[in-house]
Amino acid sequence: MSKVAVVTGSAGGLGRGIAEKLCSNGFSVVLHDINEELLNKTVEELKGKNFDVIGVKGDVSIREDQFNLVKEAVDKFGHLDVFVNNAGIDAVTPFLLIKEDELNRLFRINVNGVVFGTQAAAEQFIKQKTKGKIINACSIAGHESYAMLGTYSATKHAVRSFTQTAAKELAKHQITVNAYCPGIAKTKMWDRIDQEMVKYSDDLKPGEAFEKFSSEIALQRYQTPEDVANLVDFLASEASDYITGQAILTDGGLVYR
Ligand SMILES: NC(=O)C1=CN([C@@H]2O[C@H](COP(=O)(O)OP(=O)(O)OC[C@H]3O[C@@H](n4cnc5c(N)ncnc54)[C@H](O)[C@@H]3O)[C@@H](O)[C@H]2O)C=CC1
Ligand SMILES: CC(=O)C(C)=O
């Protein structure tokens, strides 16, 4: 019986990389995204590689959607082993200009989404009476707060906090809860961050905010989805069974904790 994983926000970017890695290691994977068109395209591409996948459209910030996502996974594949809370959004704003809408939007998706996904997955693991793995998208911004990324950094610190609390409460059920903390990966998220940072700067040109952040990386290259997927793959495997409540950096040497 193959293992079953759900990856939220996996129509593109890091989530897609994670889904592909788990598929290539024999998982059946439920891809999930709010962007239905891209989700359907990605599902077809992965099916074309003979991967065992389905797609479920949903919004992580809606609690009911997260429980429905787990239900769809179990209806299709019979059980659940791994739930990756990957979906997240960004905002670039000088601190003095942060407004209520930005705070609510980012916390709803980046934090509420992780809480609801964790609850839905844990409920299923407890019902199954099996161990289970919950893996959350944190960031270097969950360890270090960045200028212009105040709201985003606060949400990622909150993800780290909920990862610890959930790990402590769910350990008695043999459920582990960990987080991966990527550095600077060239996905649509960083394309947007770069564009916005350039708008607020007098001297940066398009691409230069990304280059500036990347130039600090000790290993001298920006991150790929595969780099991130390698850590998530480990956290999804039995090799990580004795690890819980951790927010592990994978950033090529950028933030040292
Ligand atoms: N790209 C980077 O350098 C880093 C990314 N991260 C985190 O990794 C995760 C993935 O990031 P990327 O792939 O770069 O982002 P991305 O923006 O390229 O992809 C995110 C995906 O999530 C989906 N999504 C957005 N809101 C959603 C919602 N409410 N419900 C369901 N799906 C939704 C989007 O449609 C998109 O397909 C995020 O949590 C992000 O904060 C962390 C550190 C660095
Ligand atoms: C996108 C992100 O997580 C950063 C800037 O750390």
Side-chain angles (χ1 to χ4, degrees), residues 14 33-34 58-60 86 88 138 152 156 183 185 187 189-190 192:
L14 302 183
D33 212 280
I34 199 167
D59 179 343
V60 292
N86 170 75
C138 189
Y152 179 80
K156 293 301 180 180
T187 61
M189 177 173 281
W190 248 107
R192 285 189 302 268

Side-chain angles (χ1 to χ4, degrees), residues 8-16 32-35 38 58-61 85-90 109-110 137-141 152 156 180-190 192-193 210 223 228:
T8 68
S10 49
L14 302 183
R16 176 179 172 149
H32 160 276
D33 212 280
I34 199 167
N35 181 339
L38 187 60
D59 179 343
V60 292
S61 71
N85 280 304
N86 170 75
I89 61 167
D90 52 276
I109 293 172
N110 295 3
C138 189
S139 166
I140 47 172
Y152 179 80
K156 293 301 180 180
Y180 53 102
C181 303
I184 313 294
K186 196 162 174 24
T187 61
K188 292 225 159 57
M189 177 173 281
W190 248 107
R192 285 189 302 268
I193 292 173
F210 180 75
Q223 187 156 33
V228 179

Side-chain angles (χ1 to χ4, degrees), residues 43-95:
V43 167
E44 287 315 309
E45 285 171 11
L46 267 57
K47 280 185 178 165
K49 296 183 179 186
N50 285 326
F51 290 149
D52 191 18
V53 294
I54 59 165
V56 176
K57 187 199 172 204
D59 179 343
V60 292
S61 71
I62 299 175
R63 195 169 186 273
E64 198 185 333
D65 278 17
Q66 294 284 63
F67 280 78
N68 177 58
L69 173 58
V70 169
K71 184 180 176 308
E72 296 256 7
V74 174
D75 284 352
K76 171 68 183 172
F77 295 118
H79 67 284
L80 180 70
D81 300 285
V82 172
F83 193 98
V84 185
N85 280 304
N86 170 75
I89 61 167
D90 52 276
V92 174
T93 313
F95 178 79

Side-chain angles (χ1 to χ4, degrees), residues 51-238:
F51 290 149
D52 191 18
V53 294
I54 59 165
V56 176
K57 187 199 172 204
D59 179 343
V60 292
S61 71
I62 299 175
R63 195 169 186 273
E64 198 185 333
D65 278 17
Q66 294 284 63
F67 280 78
N68 177 58
L69 173 58
V70 169
K71 184 180 176 308
E72 296 256 7
V74 174
D75 284 352
K76 171 68 183 172
F77 295 118
H79 67 284
L80 180 70
D81 300 285
V82 172
F83 193 98
V84 185
N85 280 304
N86 170 75
I89 61 167
D90 52 276
V92 174
T93 313
F95 178 79
L96 294 178
L97 299 182
I98 294 171
K99 302 259 169 48
E100 201 176 3
D101 168 64
E102 173 181 311
L103 288 163
N104 290 341
R105 200 163 37 85
L106 263 76
F107 272 87
R108 247 191 5 253
I109 293 172
N110 295 3
V111 183
N112 300 15
V114 167
V115 172
F116 300 152
T118 301
Q119 291 171 335
E123 186 182 273
Q124 179 61 28
F125 296 144
I126 292 167
K127 201 191 296 174
Q128 288 173 183
K129 295 191 172 56
T130 59
K131 63 185 185 186
K133 291 180 178 290
I134 296 166
I135 306 171
N136 299 329
C138 189
S139 166
I140 47 172
H143 288 270
E144 169 95 33
S145 298
Y146 291 90
M148 312 286 280
L149 291 168
T151 308
Y152 179 80
S153 301
T155 65
K156 293 301 180 180
H157 277 69
V159 167
R160 193 149 67 91
S161 173
F162 274 120
T163 298
Q164 291 181 11
T165 300
K168 289 179 184 183
E169 290 193 26
L170 298 173
K172 61 177 177 287
H173 301 290
Q174 299 305 311
I175 297 168
T176 62
V177 190
N178 291 293
Y180 53 102
C181 303
I184 313 294
K186 196 162 174 24
T187 61
K188 292 225 159 57
M189 177 173 281
W190 248 107
D191 291 345
R192 285 189 302 268
I193 292 173
D194 183 78
Q195 272 174 19
E196 292 299 310
M197 285 196 167
V198 167
K199 273 192 212 161
Y200 286 113
S201 160
D202 292 333
D203 54 351
L204 288 175
K205 295 192 186 58
E208 287 185 356
F210 180 75
E211 288 308 325
K212 197 168 151 214
F213 270 77
S214 304
S215 68
E216 307 284 321
I217 300 169
L219 290 175
Q220 300 187 342
R221 66 168 176 84
Y222 62 75
Q223 187 156 33
T224 64
E226 292 72 30
D227 294 320
V228 179
N230 285 336
L231 173 58
V232 176
D233 185 45
F234 165 69
L235 291 173
S237 77
E238 291 185 356

